Amino acid sequence: IYNNHREALDLLFENRPDNQQEIKGRIIKIIQKHPSLTLDHSTKSYIHFIPKELDFKELKVGAAASGWSEENRIMLFEIANDSRRIKMILAIGPGEKNVREKIYGIAIKHPEVFNKTKFALTPKWYTIHTEFRINDVEDEEIDEIEKKIDEKFYKFINDKVPKIIEIFKKEFVVK
């Protein structure tokens, strides 16, 4: 079949919808609408950002060549966007060991805010909090997915992020 209809099939494959790319664009727009957030390195599968109030120099000691952060941020929020689900986490990336350990220690001290601290700190990436997951996105319309992301995202930004900011500002004694 392919040999007989190569041009038509190639045209179809080249122009099929890319839901993952469309969702990435919509997630970025949601983040950009919130003036207190800063985008960082993003791909189709991973969108990174940080609240501006957490963007202080003590947390800009990440490993520059790791592909994790364009600004050497060691801690970022990450929205994982794959073909089946969307998930948002707060993660420690590669960087200075003592700062990574301090962030991990802060998360352990505050289990009421950070829900992923049961395991030992790993050497490169470590999730300290998982906020939301939207499953089965391949079966939903893009507009419906965006609505769910928007709803969960703004609830998180308004309810949980202020607590996270307060904890890190206090623990890092940022003025």
Side-chain angles (χ1 to χ4, degrees):
I1 293 175
Y2 181 76
N3 287 334
N4 291 336
H5 304 284
R6 176 179 296 191
E7 286 181 38
L9 291 171
D10 286 347
L11 182 66
L12 287 172
F13 288 131
E14 289 172 15
N15 293 293
R16 70 180 182 254
D18 186 348
N19 287 351
Q20 199 176 356
Q21 188 67 33
E22 177 71 21
I23 291 168
K24 174 200 174 192
R26 293 190 186 204
I27 291 169
I28 286 175
K29 284 180 185 174
I30 289 169
I31 293 167
Q32 288 173 330
K33 282 192 298 187
H34 207 289
S36 67
L37 302 177
T38 299
L39 272 170
D40 200 299
H41 177 72
S42 297
T43 65
K44 182 164 67 168
S45 300
Y46 299 100
I47 298 100
H48 296 112
F49 67 95
I50 191 80
K52 289 178 181 173
E53 287 189 74
L54 283 179
D55 198 19
F56 42 88
K57 68 179 180 181
E58 293 85 352
L59 293 175
K60 286 190 175 183
V61 292
S66 68
W68 169 249
S69 170
E70 293 172 346
E71 298 292 328
N72 296 336
R73 295 177 178 106
I74 198 165
M75 182 176 72
L76 288 169
F77 289 92
E78 174 181 277
I79 299 177
N81 171 32
D82 73 36
S83 60
R84 296 177 323 264
R85 75 183 134 273
I86 297 166
K87 177 174 76 167
M88 188 164 88
I89 65 168
L90 176 57
I92 305 168
E96 289 185 15
K97 183 179 179 186
N98 63 326
V99 177
R100 294 180 87 253
E101 289 172 348
K102 183 171 183 174
I103 294 168
Y104 177 72
I106 291 167
I108 286 174
K109 281 175 39 180
H110 297 278
E112 72 284 2
V113 175
F114 304 100
N115 61 13
K116 291 288 181 182
T117 57
K118 292 181 172 64
F119 302 103
L121 179 64
T122 55
K124 202 165 184 182
W125 288 283
Y126 187 85
T127 299
I128 58 175
H129 183 73
T130 297
E131 184 55 29
F132 66 76
R133 177 180 289 218
I134 301 168
N135 291 315
D136 304 320
V137 295
E138 73 272 20
D139 298 330
E140 292 199 47
E141 294 294 321
I142 299 290
D143 290 339
E144 189 60 33
I145 296 166
E146 180 181 18
K147 185 178 170 187
K148 287 180 179 181
I149 294 168
D150 201 38
E151 179 182 296
K152 291 176 182 285
F153 186 80
Y154 280 105
K155 182 176 180 350
F156 172 68
I157 292 301
N158 292 321
D159 296 349
K160 184 77 67 137
V161 168
K163 294 172 188 168
I164 293 170
I165 290 169
E166 180 183 341
I167 288 167
F168 277 99
K169 279 186 164 183
K170 181 181 174 187
E171 295 286 347
F172 274 91
V173 193
V174 176
K175 297 176 171 99

